[in-house]
Amino acid sequence: MSTTVKRPAGSGRPDDACLRGATPPPTTTPPRRRHGLRVGWMMTASGWSANQFSALLGAYRSGTGLSESAVTGLFAVYVVGLVPGLLIGGPLADRYGRRPVALIALGVNLLSTCLLMVGAATTGWLLPGRFLTGLGAGALLAAGSAWVKELSSPPFDLTASPGAAAKRSGMFVSAGFASGGLSAALIAQWAPYPLLTAYLPHLVLAVAAGAVAWGAPESRPSRSRPAAAGTPAAAEGTGAPPVAPAAEPFRRARFWRAVLPVAPWVFAAPTVGFVTLPGLVDGGLTGWQTVYAGVATAVVPGTGLAVQLPARYLATRHRLATGVAGLLMIAVGCALAAPAAASEQPVLALAAAAVLGAGYGLTLSFGLTEVAALAPRARLARLTSLFWTLAYTGMFTPYAITALSTTFGVPALLRAGALLAVLSCTAFVLLNRGERRPALTPRCPG
């Protein structure tokens, strides 16, 4: 004979908490679809468009006669367009919705690639092409990151964990970074009319991504008239509990303490790996410079994707652990890059690029997770765009290295970069030293 043992309601077991806190969906509601994954392909198209040009820098030097400073300047123009795209796209997405802003930005992204293709014959079109690449990518990052995050969370997705939802857009962007550069480099090495045909895969990817994301729903929280604080109506229409006015200054200060020391390194590290280093070690790669550059653009973000599992583990140990590990990896990567540049060793440069890519993946994971945790949902796109803006300032690093190299030398500048990364890590820890390890909460099954 068997007996049934009933647990008391306050036993504290995770499954009890799930059963008490979960609200079963109505029987008429159809199964949830993973809309966040569908929209994520737009983010891949954005990352692809950024790095397809990076892998072609050597081809532009040899094929069009552009100088080193001109080619590096065209790379930096991307950031000049990206910053206003981010700063405008975030508020527009919060006001009018993630879906229309993201889809329009994808259209601008497509137009920019068409202009770069025209630039194969008339180099004057490269400048507006790169500017629009940044403008479209910026708006797409701002609106698309919020769209992916919200569609990867309840009530749209009941399976993804909060941490995975926050980092999903970054993983799709990294996949685009890795595949876009390598694809463009391989086409440029062996296909005819390389500065034209290398851009064709992005056109196909962007059109397909737009078609896949077209049916995804809007996720922006609905707005309602302001209600008195403390009333039930005050919490309605925002999709999230209201933030007490007294807590807002602390949250804002915590945002800047946590994000500002880390964000510029997110893209300073990878651009050193796939823009600066390939141009310094190509002396022993006669005829294979473009392929090497493509491999470097794949290795850096590819390593960033590979460290996501360790990043998840570090985040469970301490809130700051992922950011600290990322900054230290960047310091090690810059330290390895200095002798690679001095000796022009391609293998050592690729190893340094991989370490820099690991730092990129860790810092990006930390930044996106932190923004998602601190931002009120109604301002998620705006604060996400602010993070991306701070991160992309690091893309001016190759241009700064080129400008200062005649005075200080590249190896010395890379060693200085390693020291700056260590100092940033120290400041990051000191500014956030009061933060404790986060509490792990049970996740309801299904």
Side-chain angles (χ1 to χ4, degrees), residues 66-140:
L66 293 175
S67 65
E68 176 70 26
S69 59
V71 171
T72 310
L74 284 172
F75 179 83
V77 167
Y78 168 82
V79 186
V80 175
L82 182 110
V83 171
L86 284 166
L87 296 179
I88 296 171
L92 287 178
D94 282 337
R95 182 176 180 86
Y96 298 107
R98 287 68 161 110
R99 187 177 185 275
V101 176
L103 291 174
I104 291 173
L106 184 65
V108 175
N109 202 241
L110 271 168
L111 174 62
S112 69
T113 293
C114 293
L115 293 180
L116 292 175
M117 294 173 72
V118 176
T122 308
T123 56
W125 288 104
L126 294 175
L127 184 64
R130 285 295 288 169
F131 178 81
L132 287 180
T133 300
L135 188 68
L140 188 53

Side-chain angles (χ1 to χ4, degrees), residues 120-357:
T122 308
T123 56
W125 288 104
L126 294 175
L127 184 64
R130 285 295 288 169
F131 178 81
L132 287 180
T133 300
L135 188 68
L140 188 53
L141 283 171
S145 294
W147 200 15
V148 171
K149 192 268 176 185
E150 291 168 348
L151 291 179
S152 301
S153 307
F156 298 100
D157 190 339
L158 304 179
T159 60
S161 66
K167 293 181 287 189
R168 184 169 285 176
S169 63
M171 294 178 69
F172 272 100
V173 171
S174 297
F177 283 149
S179 51
L182 182 60
S183 172
L186 295 178
I187 292 174
Q189 182 70 28
W190 287 293
Y193 308 105
L195 298 182
L196 179 68
T197 55
Y199 294 108
L200 293 177
H202 176 255
L203 295 181
V204 176
L205 173 62
V207 171
V212 170
W214 187 264
E218 176 59 61
S219 64
R220 180 178 67 95
S222 59
R223 296 177 180 270
S224 59
R225 292 182 180 180
T231 63
E236 295 177 358
T238 62
V243 178
E248 185 67 23
F250 169 76
R251 292 174 63 87
R252 188 180 298 113
R254 178 175 165 182
F255 175 89
W256 286 109
R257 289 199 310 267
V259 171
L260 188 57
V262 176
W265 292 101
V266 170
F267 285 115
T271 52
V272 169
F274 62 69
V275 176
T276 300
L277 290 179
L280 296 173
V281 301
D282 62 0
L285 299 166
T286 304
W288 295 92
Q289 292 94 335
T290 300
V291 172
Y292 180 83
V295 171
T297 58
V299 164
V300 173
T303 311
L305 281 172
V307 299
Q308 292 309 303
L309 187 59
R312 187 180 306 174
Y313 171 77
L314 289 171
T316 64
R317 307 304 299 172
H318 193 283
R319 172 178 158 258
L320 306 179
T322 310
V324 170
L327 290 172
L328 293 179
M329 291 293 285
I330 292 170
V332 173
C334 288
L336 287 175
S343 59
E344 298 186 1
Q345 290 293 324
V347 176
L348 183 58
L350 207 58
V355 177
L356 290 167

Side-chain angles (χ1 to χ4, degrees), residues 405-442:
S405 60
T406 54
T407 303
F408 299 100
V410 175
L413 292 172
L414 292 172
R415 286 191 291 269
L419 178 60
L420 283 175
V422 172
L423 293 176
S424 297
C425 184
T426 303
F428 173 67
V429 172
L430 292 177
L431 289 171
N432 298 274
R433 61 185 179 275
E435 300 294 340
R436 290 185 172 88
R437 174 181 170 182
L440 298 179
T441 55

